[in-house]
Amino acid sequence: MKRTLHDFFTSTTTTPKSRKVQNDATPTCPTVVDSTTTTDTANEDNSTSTSASTSASTDTAANERKSSVQERFGPWNDEECKSLLKNLFDESKSFHSCFICKDAYCTGLSKETLSKFPGYKKFNHKWLNRSNWWLCFVETEGMYCLVCKKHHIKHPHNQREVFAATPSIRFKLDAITTHNKSSLHAAALQTEMIQKVSYFHQEVTKKSEVETSVLEGVFSTAYYLMKSFIANRQLLPLLNFIEKIFHVEDLKYFNHRSAECQSEIFMTLGETMKKSLLSDVKKSPAFGILTDEVCDISVTENLMTFIQYYNSTSESVCTQFLSCQNILSEFSSANADAITKLILSELKDDDLDVSKFAGFSSDGAAVMVGKRAGVATLLKAENPSLINVHCVCHRLALSCTDSNESINYIKTIETLLRQLWQLFENSPKKMAVYLKTQKQLKEISMGEKATKIVSKRLKKACRTRWLSLEASVRAVHGDYEAILHTLSILDQSGDAAATGLMKKMKSIKFLGTLYIMRDILPVLADLSKHFQKDSLNFSDIRPSINLAKDKLKKLLEEETPMQSLQTDIDSFSDMCAEIKLNNKELKELQSLFEKYVNALINNITRRFEDSSDVLAALGIFDPLSVPLQNQPGFKEYGIAQINILADHFHQLDEPETKTRKTEKMQSEWQSFKYHINDVLKPVIPEDVRDGSSKSTNTTEWLLLQLLRNPTFENFYPSLIPIAAAAVAIPITNAWPERGASSLKNIKTKLRNRLGEAMLENILHVCINGPAPESKEGQTIIKAAVDSWLKAKNRRKVAKVNKISGACGVVVKETLNDNVISQDASVQTEENPVIVEAQEVLSEVRQAMKVMAIENENDSDFEDESDFEDDCCW
């Protein structure tokens, strides 16, 4: 007789071991030898008696077989059945099965259940045997089938779920036998067996298990590319390399490899980064905007915008990238009106309250700070309490430029340094001569790598680069003799440019001016570097300016450059032997030195004297400036400044309201002064107190204490908004300059077609994003994966035919013109590459048809790469 699949599933592979029963013990759940015959009451009794009387030799043989072959029950073994019981049923409930009761020596239902439910006495515990391995009884509920419950089997007609979701309470052996023979039970067994042996099912299960981890790995890889200025199109090659070389087999389950999906991955990472930024900004009481114009490789005028705010999570002041907008995409010129509308539209799109807009910093161009129609003036119309700040770095650069312009010979030095750099930079042959001359003068023999390190190269002197002039002077001063030797060699070979530079540079006036600039420019460079610090605030400006002016005055008094020149001039080689310093030339250099220093001091003073009264008033928050209670002037300290701040921040209020708020602010300030002296002053860190801290100063430390301590909100509610506005006011516009450098590293000649949205998202990750391996970076990546999965139901749509168009462009057409039905919940959109290609191909074919031209000149059209989506790459 041929065995059915059902018979195979319901039979065990080995004879189970019979357990000996003691004479005085209560019989436990019997174990029955499985057979192909049907199970009834007589068979169960016969099986039980037969099992009890089995000889010792049979037990031994059974033990040997069980130790070598693990007993199976349908598609599962003993352990798998026990694991399935734990997964399907609540462990807090009492349930019975032949797999559990055997180990627990259970022979019946609990007395408590039988007393509450007398009808349960009809259930015979002996039915839980190896023949009915699938049967499970849950006290207070009924009988279940393990297989049917796992696969949620329903009756096809009445949708009943007896033995599956609904327990069976027909406690008769006939009900168990009927279910065992039913087609539904057989179908459940067959489904389970197919899943066990199906490679496809195993792959699907594996893919489902690793889907999230694989996506996080892919997103981490894309994140790394964005942080490292690597082209987006390198994502797939890098994933393939990792999969093959490092044997990361799970990457084969990543099927979203189309250009559109890749673009969405990069876009989602940037959007997630921006959402994280905006959530922090919205929690801050105030924020400031830093902006500048940048022209990229594709000659596109971009508006780079950064935002400064107090981050309540990290309890620090943060400056981060906000947006990059194409100015000329909607406006005819980059005028004040266009820039203002772009800034306001960005704030509106980001749902940022304009009333929290506390400060605006720019490079000081007329379009930005014009009194009548500048960007700052137009923004103040939206928020009158806005404080406009001319970037201190740009002001310092303008002060230096003004000083150089006022002294003709300083201008000549700048020109000579730039011409000298161009002479060597544009000629590898001349640069090689220069490097060889350096080695000969130093009389050392080095390898190639050491030569590159020791041999100095000249630097370009450029007014638009804040530290370039100081670097150029330092390089020429350090290798003055080598430069003259090199120019002499080139002069002998007939180089006209070298001859002209030789005549102008081989003079005591040029050398003396070089010494003057060598000592002066480092003072200005240090001040510029200080102004570019991330932690700079308004309280740093005046002390830093005064310190720099004092250093310049000290140089003038001590005549340091003149003394160094007189000391070094005697040590020059024969090449510079004719350069001598007499009294007349010394007086000329001293006069030049004095004029240059005085010009710098005057121009710096003039550029920085027009600072805002509001910024000056904020200086009262320096705790070291607050007098002690027993000192004169304690009660009056800060009252005038508080009035200035109240007039500025409450200028739109009614007179009565404004007076009331001013009086409240003065009262809070009087109380806060006592708190400063008694509580805060003693706990100021030593490095902050003595000014050696590189991260903060005393004023910023006090303002942050106001914002960090939640109890201050109850005592000083009027001072906290001013403190938040003070830390949010940007003083330097160095961040947009850094953003411009990042933009140019991203949008290169080979990536000049990056779209505006893609470029902005890459900048968000590149500038604001933490390291991909960090905890913060992984948090962003996981949020991006979650957002990407929720965006739409990501599955493959119906297949399409791919045909080659006239330009070699792949165009898709529906198979056999049949209607393709798709799930309405799947949000799919046409690939812009395909749409554009179809339109172009259609126009070309129509034109050929009208003009009676054969399709044989396809090579005259643009290359396929021109149709690629610039947002993807």
Side-chain angles (χ1 to χ4, degrees), residues 12-28:
T12 57
T13 57
T14 60
T15 303
K17 175 184 177 181
S18 299
R19 183 168 46 83
K20 295 181 180 180
V21 182
Q22 301 295 333
N23 293 332
D24 57 348
T26 303
T28 59

Side-chain angles (χ1 to χ4, degrees), residues 24-309:
D24 57 348
T26 303
T28 59
C29 298
T31 55
V32 184
V33 179
D34 193 16
S35 64
T36 57
T37 60
T38 60
T39 305
D40 54 25
T41 308
N43 289 342
E44 289 181 10
D45 295 337
N46 293 335
S47 299
T48 306
S49 62
T50 302
S51 175
S53 62
T54 304
S55 62
S57 59
T58 305
D59 289 338
T60 305
N63 287 333
E64 293 177 353
R65 287 194 300 271
K66 187 172 182 179
S67 61
S68 59
V69 180
Q70 191 175 18
E71 188 176 3
R72 299 193 66 83
F73 303 91
W76 302 307
N77 58 32
D78 197 324
E79 295 299 325
E80 289 174 336
C81 289
K82 291 179 181 179
S83 176
L84 188 62
L85 283 167
K86 293 181 180 180
N87 294 332
L88 293 179
F89 298 100
D90 187 358
E91 294 185 3
S92 63
K93 298 181 179 180
S94 298
F95 54 92
H96 300 261
S97 171
C98 64
F99 305 104
I100 299 175
C101 293
K102 178 189 72 171
D103 298 334
Y105 298 99
C106 174
T107 59
L109 306 184
S110 64
K111 295 181 179 181
E112 183 181 357
T113 301
L114 293 176
S115 62
K116 290 183 178 180
F117 304 93
Y120 281 18
K121 294 180 180 180
K122 297 180 181 180
F123 179 78
N124 189 351
H125 195 276
K126 294 181 180 179
W127 294 342
L128 299 171
N129 53 50
R130 300 289 173 132
S131 296
N132 300 325
W133 58 268
W134 47 267
L135 183 62
C136 178
F137 183 85
V138 180
E139 293 191 10
T140 70
E141 293 185 12
M143 300 184 295
Y144 290 94
C145 173
L146 290 179
V147 189
C148 296
K149 185 171 180 62
K150 178 184 177 183
H151 293 283
H152 310 288
I153 298 300
K154 294 182 180 181
H155 195 282
H157 301 299
N158 55 27
Q159 299 296 311
R160 295 181 62 190
E161 300 178 273
V162 181
F163 279 99
T166 305
S168 173
I169 55 176
R170 185 169 175 260
F171 303 130
K172 292 186 177 181
L173 183 61
D174 179 63
I176 299 174
T177 304
T178 302
H179 178 76
N180 194 27
K181 293 181 178 181
S182 67
S183 59
L184 295 179
H185 182 71
L189 285 169
Q190 187 172 5
T191 302
E192 179 63 30
M193 197 62 184
I194 290 175
Q195 290 185 357
K196 279 282 186 180
V197 300
S198 172
Y199 173 79
F200 174 76
H201 173 73
Q202 294 176 4
E203 287 293 300
V204 171
T205 304
K206 177 68 174 177
K207 180 180 178 182
S208 177
E209 292 175 352
V210 302
E211 179 182 13
T212 302
S213 61
V214 168
L215 284 176
E216 289 177 0
V218 172
F219 273 68
S220 297
T221 306
Y223 188 95
Y224 172 79
L225 296 181
M226 299 170 80
K227 286 286 292 182
S228 305
F229 307 108
I230 300 176
N232 300 2
R233 66 166 65 234
Q234 298 300 323
L235 177 60
L236 286 185
L238 182 57
L239 292 177
N240 294 333
F241 174 81
I242 294 173
E243 180 180 356
K244 294 176 181 178
I245 301 301
F246 297 97
H247 306 291
V248 183
E249 297 181 357
D250 290 347
L251 278 175
K252 67 182 180 181
Y253 299 117
F254 177 66
N255 297 327
H256 307 284
R257 297 175 180 254
S258 66
E260 185 177 358
C261 284
Q262 292 178 63
S263 176
E264 289 176 351
I265 289 174
F266 289 102
M267 296 287 284
T268 304
L269 282 168
E271 291 167 358
T272 304
M273 192 72 245
K274 187 173 184 179
K275 287 179 182 178
S276 175
L277 164 66
L278 294 177
S279 66
D280 291 336
V281 175
K282 291 175 183 178
K283 298 176 185 177
S284 178
F287 62 85
I289 293 294
L290 308 82
T291 191
D292 201 358
E293 302 170 50
V294 181
C295 185
D296 59 35
I297 191 68
S298 62
V299 200
T300 302
E301 191 78 7
N302 299 289
L303 185 68
M304 293 286 294
T305 304
F306 282 70
I307 189 166
Q308 181 171 314
Y309 63 99

Side-chain angles (χ1 to χ4, degrees), residues 216-468:
E216 289 177 0
V218 172
F219 273 68
S220 297
T221 306
Y223 188 95
Y224 172 79
L225 296 181
M226 299 170 80
K227 286 286 292 182
S228 305
F229 307 108
I230 300 176
N232 300 2
R233 66 166 65 234
Q234 298 300 323
L235 177 60
L236 286 185
L238 182 57
L239 292 177
N240 294 333
F241 174 81
I242 294 173
E243 180 180 356
K244 294 176 181 178
I245 301 301
F246 297 97
H247 306 291
V248 183
E249 297 181 357
D250 290 347
L251 278 175
K252 67 182 180 181
Y253 299 117
F254 177 66
N255 297 327
H256 307 284
R257 297 175 180 254
S258 66
E260 185 177 358
C261 284
Q262 292 178 63
S263 176
E264 289 176 351
I265 289 174
F266 289 102
M267 296 287 284
T268 304
L269 282 168
E271 291 167 358
T272 304
M273 192 72 245
K274 187 173 184 179
K275 287 179 182 178
S276 175
L277 164 66
L278 294 177
S279 66
D280 291 336
V281 175
K282 291 175 183 178
K283 298 176 185 177
S284 178
F287 62 85
I289 293 294
L290 308 82
T291 191
D292 201 358
E293 302 170 50
V294 181
C295 185
D296 59 35
I297 191 68
S298 62
V299 200
T300 302
E301 191 78 7
N302 299 289
L303 185 68
M304 293 286 294
T305 304
F306 282 70
I307 189 166
Q308 181 171 314
Y309 63 99
Y310 172 73
N311 190 328
S312 58
T313 304
S314 63
E315 296 186 340
S316 61
V317 181
C318 297
T319 305
Q320 292 189 306
F321 170 75
L322 180 63
S323 67
C324 178
Q325 300 164 284
N326 185 355
I327 302 176
L328 301 181
S329 63
E330 299 180 5
F331 302 94
S332 58
S333 64
N335 53 33
D337 183 63
I339 295 174
T340 304
K341 289 181 178 178
L342 287 174
I343 293 174
L344 293 176
S345 66
E346 179 64 28
L347 297 180
K348 182 179 180 181
D349 294 341
D350 297 336
D351 195 24
L352 297 178
D353 190 358
V354 179
S355 63
K356 294 183 178 181
F357 191 178
F360 175 74
S361 177
S362 64
D363 57 2
V367 69
M368 293 290 184
V369 298
K371 292 184 178 181
R372 294 184 178 179
V375 174
T377 303
L378 297 177
L379 290 175
K380 282 187 176 181
E382 301 292 330
N383 183 9
S385 62
L386 176 71
I387 299 175
N388 175 41
V389 178
H390 182 184
C391 170
V392 290
C393 295
H394 285 88
R395 279 196 278 179
L396 179 62
L398 290 173
S399 301
C400 298
T401 302
D402 294 342
S403 303
N404 295 348
E405 286 288 337
S406 63
I407 302 175
N408 292 330
Y409 194 71
I410 297 296
K411 291 172 56 179
T412 303
I413 293 293
E414 284 189 74
T415 304
L416 291 176
L417 293 177
R418 187 166 52 254
Q419 291 175 350
L420 182 65
W421 174 82
Q422 292 174 344
L423 177 70
F424 293 108
E425 187 69 17
N426 297 330
S427 175
K429 180 179 178 181
K430 296 175 183 177
M431 179 61 73
V433 174
Y434 172 54
L435 296 178
K436 288 178 182 178
T437 304
Q438 286 189 45
K439 290 176 61 178
Q440 291 172 0
L441 289 177
K442 294 172 183 176
E443 296 180 352
I444 53 177
S445 177
M446 299 175 294
E448 182 179 356
K449 292 184 179 180
T451 301
K452 290 182 179 179
I453 296 174
V454 175
S455 299
K456 297 180 180 179
R457 291 175 179 264
L458 301 179
K459 306 295 182 181
K460 181 181 179 181
C462 180
R463 290 188 177 183
T464 57
R465 296 184 179 272
W466 298 329
L467 306 176
S468 62

